[in-house]
Amino acid sequence: MTLTYVFHSCFVLETEMSILIFDYWLDLNGVVPPFLKKDKPVYVFSSHFHEDHFNSAIFEWRMQREGITYILSKDIYKHRRANKEDADVWLTKGGTWSDGTISVWALGSTDSGVSWIVETEGRRIFHAGDLNNWYARFLPDAKPGETIYSEEFDEEIDPIAYEKQYLGELKDIRKIADSFNVVMFPIDGRIGNGYTLGGRQFIERFKVGLFVPMHFVASGFESAWRMKEFTDEKNIPFWKISREGDSYSIV
């Protein structure tokens, strides 16, 4: 089983029997096309409608080959980013799907859409989508029941309530699984101090075989490596991605 980094939050997971593509946005180095030429079924996941997680260009792959299954969050359809017939499977939080090769659970997010659990060939994979403790930097100054104005987001934010929502989503995930062979999770330095907090809270609650950072394009590869300090404390392998097209063999 090999995981290949494409860009931002997009990865290709190749197993013995299939190819899984998560949250395609851009492919600056032509990483994806060789995988589409392989004689294996392809499963394409999009966790939500934001342009950095969904690109309608994925539907053009149908013209190149057969055997592609599109598994999309239903908010993509609701926001009119795709037509109903474009996807084979539309899921919202709590939805499940299986075809005998892979089994899929759609879990919650603290932004739009869903996060994904996928089981295949005896392995369990988690892709967070935009699930994260995004407002962690506001927590040190937060008081219960009070909001804080964010100039960046131009809105009033209740960081404590938001964190409670995030931890609630983790509880819901634990109802399905408490361990993962691979976890792909946002480690985005743009959100300021505490940008690793969501990842740390995740590894405190789940057994993780490999932690893979994502969503770090704007803040840079090395910013994501900060998470390794915390995975090392838990004896969790960490993938220090350094360029588009990097691959990691999962034993």
Side-chain angles (χ1 to χ4, degrees), residues 1-243:
M1 185 175 284
T2 302
L3 189 65
T4 301
Y5 174 66
V6 180
F7 187 75
H8 196 58
S9 297
C10 180
F11 294 85
V12 178
L13 179 68
E14 181 175 11
T15 74
E16 185 177 346
M17 298 176 60
S18 61
I19 293 169
L20 285 63
I21 303 175
F22 293 92
D23 280 19
Y24 179 90
W25 173 26
L26 299 173
D27 183 6
L28 304 178
N29 287 356
V31 176
V32 172
F35 288 101
L36 298 177
K37 295 177 181 178
K38 297 193 176 187
D39 188 21
K40 295 180 181 181
V42 174
Y43 299 88
V44 180
F45 296 81
S46 295
S47 65
H48 61 288
F49 78 98
H50 291 168
E51 66 176 10
D52 60 334
H53 290 259
F54 169 75
N55 185 335
S56 61
I58 60 177
F59 301 127
E60 298 173 6
W61 300 341
R62 277 199 181 109
M63 296 182 284
Q64 302 176 32
R65 55 160 293 160
E66 297 179 346
I68 301 181
T69 301
Y70 293 88
I71 305 168
L72 308 186
S73 168
K74 201 169 185 178
D75 75 304
I76 295 169
Y77 171 62
K78 290 180 177 179
H79 283 84
R80 300 181 180 180
R81 297 292 310 282
N83 298 315
K84 196 168 186 179
E85 63 271 17
D86 287 332
D88 300 280
V89 184
W90 292 104
L91 293 177
T92 58
K93 180 181 177 180
T96 63
W97 180 83
S98 179
D99 69 349
T101 299
I102 70 170
S103 296
V104 181
W105 289 259
L107 280 303
S109 177
T110 43
D111 201 332
S112 295
V114 301
S115 51
W116 302 113
I117 294 176
V118 182
E119 287 188 358
T120 183
E121 299 173 38
R123 307 290 181 89
R124 186 182 295 134
I125 313 301
F126 183 77
H127 187 286
D130 260 354
L131 174 70
N132 197 2
N133 193 344
W134 291 109
Y135 301 137
R137 71 182 175 93
F138 296 101
L139 286 169
D141 299 320
K143 297 179 182 179
E146 294 185 6
T147 60
I148 296 174
Y149 176 72
S150 167
E151 292 184 0
E152 178 184 1
F153 298 103
D154 191 25
E155 62 180 335
E156 293 287 332
I157 294 168
D158 186 339
I160 294 175
Y162 193 88
E163 180 177 58
K164 184 177 180 180
Q165 179 196 357
Y166 171 65
L167 298 179
E169 297 294 353
L170 298 190
K171 286 183 179 179
D172 288 343
I173 294 168
R174 278 189 62 90
K175 295 174 184 176
I176 306 298
D178 61 2
S179 64
F180 298 98
N181 297 93
V182 181
V183 168
M184 291 163 272
F185 195 93
I187 303 296
D188 190 337
R190 293 177 302 170
I191 65 176
N193 292 338
Y195 71 92
T196 62
L197 181 60
R200 286 182 276 142
Q201 290 169 324
F202 192 96
I203 65 175
E204 287 170 358
R205 289 161 174 79
F206 296 91
K207 182 179 178 182
V208 177
L210 171 67
F211 189 96
V212 181
M214 65 181 193
H215 213 283
F216 52 74
V217 165
S219 53
F221 291 98
E222 293 185 10
S223 69
W225 299 350
R226 172 75 194 282
M227 187 65 196
K228 188 176 186 300
E229 172 186 339
F230 306 104
T231 55
D232 284 351
E233 292 176 1
K234 301 284 186 180
N235 294 313
I236 297 172
F238 179 87
W239 184 12
K240 290 178 67 175
I241 303 170
S242 60
R243 63 180 180 85

